[in-house]
Amino acid sequence: MASYSRTGMHKTSRTSGLAIAGLVCGILGIFLLPIVLGPLAIVFGAVALRQSGSLMAKWDIGLGVLDIVLMILTFVVANNGGSFSWHIG
């Protein structure tokens, strides 16, 4: 988003395109193809973090890790016969 100062000079936003791509991959990876989109979000986030150091890049990495953790949990539950139960006592 652009903003204008009193002098009329145009300031550009520092949001990286890679950070936006990583955010999209991280969000979509929660619902679709986390095995592919999770690592992509981490890679895009790491490159964007190195380039700009933005907060969005840190969110990309976090969402990518969340995608991978959810994928692992899904595999564990699926290999357990698809049921999750607590055994007390």
Side-chain angles (χ1 to χ4, degrees):
M1 191 171 280
S3 63
Y4 295 92
S5 67
R6 283 188 253 161
T7 60
M9 299 298 291
H10 183 266
K11 293 182 183 179
T12 59
S13 176
R14 292 190 49 123
T15 303
S16 168
L18 287 172
I20 294 171
L23 191 66
V24 170
C25 287
I27 292 171
L28 287 178
I30 294 172
F31 306 106
L32 303 169
L33 296 171
I35 197 166
V36 174
L37 296 175
L40 275 177
I42 293 172
V43 170
F44 288 153
V47 173
L49 185 65
R50 186 170 261 207
Q51 287 179 352
S52 66
S54 68
L55 180 63
M56 189 183 297
K58 294 176 184 177
W59 274 96
D60 297 345
I61 295 170
L63 283 172
V65 170
L66 177 69
D67 291 346
I68 292 172
V69 168
L70 288 176
M71 179 188 60
I72 291 170
L73 287 174
T74 302
F75 286 153
V76 167
V77 170
N79 286 335
N80 194 21
S83 64
F84 186 77
S85 62
W86 295 94
H87 297 287
I88 299 174

